[in-house]
Amino acid sequence: MKKFAKKIFVLALALVAAAFFCLPAFSYMCKYKEDFYKLYHVHYQQYPDDCMENIYWLEQAVRADFANPLYARAKIQTKEEWEKYRNLFQMHLNLKLIEQHMRLARVYDKRAICFYDAPWKDEYLANLKKAKSCYEAGLYYWREARLWSEKASETKFRFLFLEDLTNWEDENKRIADAELDYKKILSRELTRVAAEIETLEAMDRSY
């Protein structure tokens, strides 16, 4: 019995030592914008926790420094390419933050108030206010996205196209051409939500 216990102890000690010495080889510290962006992902069926996780990683990416141009998400050879890359990246991050906030808002958004919703008006009101805050956050990120898009569309970049980032370039052009206008979309949703909140607040709970 003592020999068995000794073997178990030695095995446990060996496992702890192995974990200790192997950990640095597999651990990875996120430091740069590009690192945090890799953690952003969209599931086919996305739940609120998934949205909030993505929002967290995207926020970290917005605040983080850029990695060396050698590790950029596109081939960078000139200072002009590096500057446009940074502007496009910030624009893209803010657009993704809008998308995630809109996805999260849809979880709480009732979208249609019926007379028989009165018994649950408090729950619906709480949810609609959450949806409203998500849409309002989206407006903030839209202002940021527009700002970075304007910087990426300056005259000095007119004939500069980052071929490795065609989707970001496309987003930038759609914003510049007013084909993509989240302000219009978000404002429409906020107007509707405000009307739904007003309707609920006027309801007789005892119906």
Side-chain angles (χ1 to χ4, degrees), residues 60-116:
Q60 296 301 310
V62 166
R63 290 192 288 267
D65 292 329
F66 286 92
N68 186 283
L70 284 171
Y71 307 106
R73 297 183 65 84
K75 186 176 181 180
I76 304 296
Q77 294 181 308
T78 68
K79 289 183 177 179
E80 288 73 23
E81 289 177 345
W82 177 230
E83 183 180 356
K84 186 174 186 183
Y85 167 81
R86 299 198 309 272
N87 293 334
L88 285 176
F89 203 160
Q90 288 289 84
M91 175 205 72
H92 178 72
L93 288 172
N94 280 283
L95 289 177
K96 291 301 163 188
L97 277 162
I98 295 171
E99 290 177 9
Q100 289 302 303
H101 277 84
M102 290 186 70
R103 280 175 176 265
L104 188 57
R106 291 189 193 108
V107 175
Y108 303 109
D109 196 343
K110 185 72 167 64
R111 302 200 71 84
I113 301 299
C114 299
F115 70 94
Y116 48 74

Side-chain angles (χ1 to χ4, degrees), residues 50-166:
D50 299 319
C51 292
M52 288 186 281
E53 180 187 351
N54 275 334
I55 289 169
Y56 175 79
W57 295 128
L58 290 168
E59 284 281 11
Q60 296 301 310
V62 166
R63 290 192 288 267
D65 292 329
F66 286 92
N68 186 283
L70 284 171
Y71 307 106
R73 297 183 65 84
K75 186 176 181 180
I76 304 296
Q77 294 181 308
T78 68
K79 289 183 177 179
E80 288 73 23
E81 289 177 345
W82 177 230
E83 183 180 356
K84 186 174 186 183
Y85 167 81
R86 299 198 309 272
N87 293 334
L88 285 176
F89 203 160
Q90 288 289 84
M91 175 205 72
H92 178 72
L93 288 172
N94 280 283
L95 289 177
K96 291 301 163 188
L97 277 162
I98 295 171
E99 290 177 9
Q100 289 302 303
H101 277 84
M102 290 186 70
R103 280 175 176 265
L104 188 57
R106 291 189 193 108
V107 175
Y108 303 109
D109 196 343
K110 185 72 167 64
R111 302 200 71 84
I113 301 299
C114 299
F115 70 94
Y116 48 74
D117 291 327
W120 303 280
K121 66 178 291 185
D122 290 340
E123 290 83 351
Y124 287 142
L125 279 171
N127 284 341
L128 282 172
K129 287 174 182 177
K130 289 177 184 177
K132 180 183 176 184
S133 67
C134 289
Y135 292 132
E136 288 172 340
L139 283 176
Y140 166 78
Y141 294 117
W142 173 242
R143 289 191 291 270
E144 289 294 304
R146 285 283 309 272
L147 174 65
W148 291 106
S149 175
E150 288 171 7
K151 291 182 178 182
S153 302
E154 291 179 3
T155 305
K156 60 183 175 181
F157 301 129
R158 180 173 296 173
F159 302 108
L160 177 58
F161 187 86
L162 299 182
E163 295 183 359
D164 294 335
L165 300 173
T166 54

Side-chain angles (χ1 to χ4, degrees), residues 4-20:
F4 179 76
K6 187 176 180 180
K7 286 182 180 179
I8 293 295
F9 175 77
V10 172
L11 179 60
L13 191 63
L15 289 172
V16 170
F20 178 80

